[in-house]
Amino acid sequence: MGKQSIMPTPRTAHAILRIAHPLVLLLVSFVSPSPAPAQTSALTVPLLLPSAIVFDASGNLYLAEAASHIIRKVDPSGNIATVAGTGTQGFSGDSGPATSATLDSPQGLALDTLNNLYIADTHNHRIRKLNLITGIITTIAGTTPGFSGDNGPAASAQLSLPTALTVDSASNLYLADTGNHRIRRIDATTGTIATIAGTGTQGFSGDNGPAINANIDSPTGLAVDSANNLYLADTHNHRIRRIDATTGAITTIAGTGIPGFSGDNTSATAANLALPHGLTIDSAGNVYLADTTNHRIRRIDAATGAITTVAGNGIQAFSGDNAPAVAASLDSPRATAISPSTLVALTDTANQRIRQLTAAPAPATTIQTIAGLGVTAPGALTLTAPSVIAYGTGQLTATLVSATQATGAITFFDTTQTTTATLGTVALSSNLATLSTATLSAGLHSLTATFIGDQTHSAAQSPTFALTITPQQLTATIAPATILYGQPVPAITGTLAGILPQDTSNLFATFITSATTLSPAGAYPITATLSGPAAGNYAIANPAATLTINPAPALITLSNLIDTATAGSSLTLTAQVASTTSGTPTGSITLLDSGNPLFTSQLSSTGAAVFTIPSITPGAHSFTAFYSGSGNFTSGTSAPQLITVSGPATNPDFTLTSTGITSQTVVSGSSANYTFSVQMQAALSSPVTLAATGLPNLATASFNPPTLPPGSTANTFTLTIATPGATASTRNPARGSTHPPIVWALLLLPAVGLALRPRGYRIPARLVVLATLTFALLTATGCGDRISTADALLLSAKNYTITVTGTATSPTGSILQHSTNVTLVLEQPQ
């Protein structure tokens, strides 16, 4: 996927210079193809896309000049010299003098303690080592573009557009394998290479887990702190991330992933960054980063985690030398470095300069240029267009700001990731040139324009213009479809409206659904998927079209049937339910005799059920099988099968048996259920009525159904026994008595009678004795803390034998009665 870049790549910049104004060509020929003469001030030469910087312990500054394909050194006195590269774009010179070698767009530098300068020779897909003592250059990693070689010699591995470099305290080299979206490590002792971060998939994931399992996107900045923790600029994820040296876990320390600018003076993890690049760390552990498209240098405080701007006001321009750094204008800075004197340096890349803060970062710290002549063209070339344009529409206008009319043409370039393409050349008219953007693919584009100059106007290059091309919206028309469960999913067709004429042969639509032949019945949305070279330029709003799968009819059959049978014999019937499409029906099936249900069974995995009638009665029988259906099949009934049963008439009677659990234990207040079966041996003249005896006190019994019809050959019913809840006797806890007031009244009645007798009335001796005995008996049985009979019953479970009786009348009027027993164990609640 395309993502925003900062500016044209070094290849483009080099091409621009080859067609630039003769005066610029003369200057480039002096400083680029051959080493700069000794004692040349770094402030007198132009720098073309400086992209990386690093200081050695002596204060020498090394810089990678990407568009000139050279590495330069600026000594502490400000003199500049070339230390690697001829200025010609290419690859050559290994094992020879570095100044005779050719490089291609170098964009990363690192120094170890043995005076080795490591160079990310980016477009050669190699890491090269320059011995600063001998001046000899060699390749230590990389061959052809690609990815391979992990856990083997780095010199045999493949890299893809490596950029940033850094070394740890043991001189192990870390590199941002940018095009492979990985961070890799070259062991200083063995020379083997291994991936330490990134899966190779472009994206963002993995925070707080192993870095090797995380996704990163086009990393372009690296730094190591004193504890060997590795920091990386996850550029296209707009984040700074940290890999713990001990655990290997990766975390985000700055950036939300949303491109933009926010968060100064707050936690760095809550701040917004925009394509961050080069990193460096000072001795206190503070991290400096180039917030490239925010045109700022920012600092993450090691102690607080807060982020602040130390240089740049966010305006893409050049201004502010010898003034406060935070008020200066920068243009797409790409790298940072800390000098031995702890000063912060930066590549003001699109301003073609190296600038440095004159003191430790503070609001009053000033900024100044220490290398580079800067852009000196008197004309100003600008690009204007809406920032967001739909695919296939719009235009881009280049304006040359000049008081006089210029002649010539404007050439437009488009940079996506690391590839730059020429969009076209348009002649100037009134200092304007307009280019159609209809052919730009959907995605993020970094656009620039150049003017080669004429007799009275110098060459000019525009700032980078960020343009987003959004996909063109299409409208799909899809006809809904309906099938039965088990039928093949039909080919789904539809039409698209809104395809531009230029893409009619480059865009194709496929209409799909998640449904398959045996997907359950229901509604499945139909979606349109685009393919073809132009697919990425379009988007489609899927309509509310569905494929509906309805339940399929089932085919129900009965087999093993015979025309005649003998009364009392056993009969086995097999029911089969089959699909009329495909798949196997599930659910239950019931066998009926003349419409009366006999048995119900679940279908087997093959859709079958076997029914056995143990003793068939004489007469005519019409058997059918009823399938109740399922979510995928409709219900149905088999064709009737007639059987005539001959033989002696069977005496009318029935049997009653228990078919479930015959003994159950329940807590008082709950219910118990028992199941029974009644088998009719011949037709009765009345229904079978049901009754239950032997129930616990206050318990109730109910039957479902309450009676059984006389014509059925087999029936089942359920007995439900509802038991009463238990209650405790009432006591007066204060007095320990179990006798209510009425009892005491009865006890006192004889005494009251004696006291109230009329004078002269004589109580028979027999009555007095009776009253005395009654009082004594009641007093003896009611005093003290004894356990009552009711309390004793509460302490243990009790068994009840429940007798279930069925009663019917035979055709001759005799009473037929059969019984069976079940057991109920009743427990009291605790």
Side-chain angles (χ1 to χ4, degrees):
M1 56 183 171
K3 290 208 174 184
Q4 186 180 22
S5 294
I6 305 304
M7 55 174 48
T9 63
R11 292 183 186 273
T12 303
H14 194 69
I16 292 170
L17 288 173
R18 288 202 298 267
I19 60 173
H21 190 276
L23 179 61
V24 177
L25 284 175
L26 178 62
L27 187 57
V28 171
S29 67
F30 176 73
V31 298
S32 290
S34 58
Q39 305 301 311
T40 299
S41 171
L43 297 174
T44 64
V45 298
L47 302 178
L48 302 180
L49 298 181
S51 58
I53 52 176
V54 64
F55 284 94
D56 67 14
S58 301
N60 297 300
L61 173 68
Y62 296 87
L63 65 97
E65 192 177 344
S68 291
H69 316 291
I70 57 177
I71 307 300
R72 297 178 183 259
K73 181 180 80 170
V74 179
D75 66 23
S77 299
N79 298 311
I80 193 168
T82 297
V83 295
T86 63
T88 299
Q89 184 178 21
F91 175 74
S92 68
D94 262 357
S95 303
T99 52
S100 299
T102 55
L103 310 175
D104 190 350
S105 312
Q107 296 181 41
L109 296 174
L111 273 166
D112 66 14
T113 57
L114 300 176
N115 283 320
N116 293 308
L117 178 67
Y118 298 92
I119 303 166
D121 197 356
T122 303
H123 284 188
N124 280 324
H125 311 284
R126 289 172 167 88
I127 307 300
R128 304 177 82 173
K129 182 175 77 170
L130 167 58
N131 186 314
L132 293 175
I133 298 174
T134 64
I136 300 299
I137 192 170
T138 54
T139 294
I140 65 165
T143 53
T144 56
F147 174 77
S148 69
D150 263 0
N151 304 310
S156 301
Q158 287 180 299
L159 311 177
S160 178
L161 298 172
T163 55
L165 303 173
T166 192
V167 293
D168 63 17
S169 58
S171 294
N172 299 303
L173 179 67
Y174 299 83
L175 63 103
D177 197 356
T178 306
N180 283 322
H181 312 290
R182 289 175 163 91
I183 307 301
R184 302 174 82 176
R185 173 183 180 272
I186 301 174
D187 189 274
T189 303
T190 65
T192 59
I193 191 170
T195 296
I196 65 165
T199 64
T201 299
Q202 183 179 22
F204 174 78
S205 70
D207 260 1
N208 302 310
I212 193 71
N213 295 332
N215 287 346
I216 56 181
D217 192 346
S218 310
T220 58
L222 292 176
V224 173
D225 65 15
S226 58
N228 287 332
N229 300 303
L230 181 68
Y231 298 77
L232 62 105
D234 197 354
T235 303
H236 284 183
N237 281 323
H238 312 286
R239 289 174 164 92
I240 306 301
R241 303 173 81 177
R242 175 184 181 273
I243 302 172
D244 188 273
T246 302
T247 66
I250 191 170
T251 54
T252 295
I253 65 165
T256 64
I258 300 173
F261 174 76
S262 70
D264 262 1
N265 303 309
T266 61
S267 173
T269 55
N272 287 345
L273 311 177
L275 297 178
H277 282 71
L279 304 179
T280 194
I281 301 176
D282 64 18
S283 58
N286 302 304
V287 179
Y288 295 82
L289 62 108
D291 198 356
T292 302
T293 53
N294 280 324
H295 313 291
R296 291 174 164 90
I297 304 301
R298 302 175 81 177
R299 173 183 181 272
I300 303 169
D301 190 273
T304 66
I307 192 170
T308 55
T309 295
V310 298
N313 58 13
I315 299 172
Q316 185 178 15
F318 173 77
S319 71
D321 261 2
N322 303 310
V326 293
S329 292
L330 311 179
D331 192 349
S332 310
R334 295 291 291 267
T336 59
I338 302 294
S339 73
S341 56
T342 71
L343 300 180
V344 178
L346 60 110
T347 62
D348 197 356
T349 305
N351 281 325
Q352 321 291 10
R353 298 169 185 260
I354 307 298
R355 302 173 81 176
Q356 188 175 58
L357 278 59
T358 59
T365 299
T366 60
I367 191 172
Q368 63 182 18
T369 297
I370 61 172
L373 187 61
V375 180
T376 60
L381 187 61
T382 61
L383 294 178
T384 55
S387 60
V388 179
I389 298 176
Y391 170 72
T393 65
Q395 61 183 25
L396 180 69
T397 300
T399 303
L400 187 66
V401 180
S402 175
T404 59
Q405 295 294 314
T407 60
I410 301 294
T411 301
F412 295 86
F413 299 91
D414 177 23
T415 299
T416 55
Q417 294 187 354
T418 57
T419 301
T420 299
T422 302
L423 298 178
T425 300
V426 179
L428 278 169
S429 176
S430 300
N431 288 349
L432 298 176
T434 301
L435 178 75
S436 171
T437 57
T439 59
L440 291 181
S441 62
L444 298 177
H445 297 264
S446 296
L447 304 176
T448 55
T450 62
F451 173 57
I452 64 173
D454 59 19
Q455 295 298 321
T456 58
H457 298 81
S458 299
Q461 178 177 345
S462 74
T464 301
F465 182 85
L467 174 64
T468 299
I469 301 296
T470 58
Q472 183 71 249
Q473 291 293 318
L474 298 178
T475 301
T477 302
I478 305 172
T482 301
I483 61 173
L484 295 175
Y485 171 80
Q487 288 182 331
V489 176
I492 302 173
T493 59
T495 59
L496 294 179
I499 301 176
L500 299 178
Q502 68 202 43
D503 292 326
T504 53
S505 60
N506 296 320
L507 184 67
F508 310 97
T510 303
F511 302 94
I512 61 174
T513 175
S514 61
T516 62
T517 298
L518 293 179
S519 290
Y524 295 84
I526 298 172
T527 58
T529 301
L530 300 177
S531 60
N537 298 323
Y538 292 89
I540 187 169
N542 285 300
T546 57
L547 169 69
T548 301
I549 301 179
N550 290 324
L555 179 63
I556 302 99
T557 57
L558 274 174
S559 60
N560 297 336
L561 290 166
I562 56 178
D563 294 333
T564 62
T566 302
S569 63
S570 175
L571 180 64
T572 299
L573 302 177
T574 300
Q576 182 71 49
V577 183
S579 171
T580 55
T581 56
S582 62
T584 302
T586 59
S588 63
I589 190 166
T590 301
L591 180 67
L592 301 98
D593 182 0
S594 300
N596 296 312
L598 300 182
F599 309 102
T600 298
S601 177
Q602 292 293 315
L603 293 174
S604 69
S605 60
T606 60
V610 178
F611 300 103
T612 299
I613 302 173
S615 178
I616 192 165
T617 60
H621 296 265
S622 176
F623 291 108
T624 55
F626 172 72
Y627 172 53
S628 59
S630 66
N632 296 324
F633 292 93
T634 59
S635 61
T637 303
S638 70
Q641 302 293 331
L642 301 178
I643 298 179
T644 301
V645 180
S646 62
T650 304
N651 292 329
D653 205 346
F654 68 93
T655 62
L656 172 62
T657 57
S658 175
T659 60
I661 299 173
T662 61
S663 178
Q664 297 188 50
T665 300
V666 298
V667 177
S668 181
S670 58
S671 298
N673 293 313
Y674 301 87
T675 59
F676 302 86
S677 175
V678 173
Q679 179 74 43
M680 307 293 185
Q681 294 179 353
L684 304 175
S685 62
S686 72
V688 178
T689 60
L690 304 169
T693 59
L695 301 174
N697 190 30
L698 300 181
T700 60
S702 59
F703 295 93
N704 183 25
T707 62
L708 303 176
S712 302
T713 58
N715 289 279
T716 60
F717 66 89
T718 302
L719 166 64
T720 300
I721 300 175
T723 64
T727 57
S729 60
T730 303
R731 295 177 179 270
N732 185 334
R735 304 180 64 179
S737 174
T738 62
H739 301 304
I742 186 64
V743 174
W744 290 109
L746 291 173
L747 294 174
L748 294 174
L749 182 60
V752 172
L754 292 174
L756 297 179
R757 73 183 187 277
R759 182 173 297 180
Y761 180 79
R762 300 184 64 180
I763 300 174
R766 193 178 299 171
L767 179 61
V768 173
V769 171
L770 177 62
T772 304
L773 290 174
T774 300
F775 179 80
L777 178 62
L778 291 175
T779 303
T781 59
C783 298
D785 292 330
R786 294 181 178 88
I787 298 175
S788 69
T789 303
D791 289 338
L793 291 176
L794 290 173
L795 299 180
S796 62
K798 186 172 183 180
N799 293 356
Y800 294 87
T801 299
I802 312 298
T803 301
V804 178
T805 303
T807 304
T809 304
S810 72
T812 62
S814 61
I815 301 301
L816 304 174
Q817 196 171 69
H818 297 281
S819 299
T820 186
N821 295 329
V822 294
T823 301
L824 175 68
V825 180
L826 189 62
E827 293 182 342
Q828 299 304 319
Q830 298 299 319

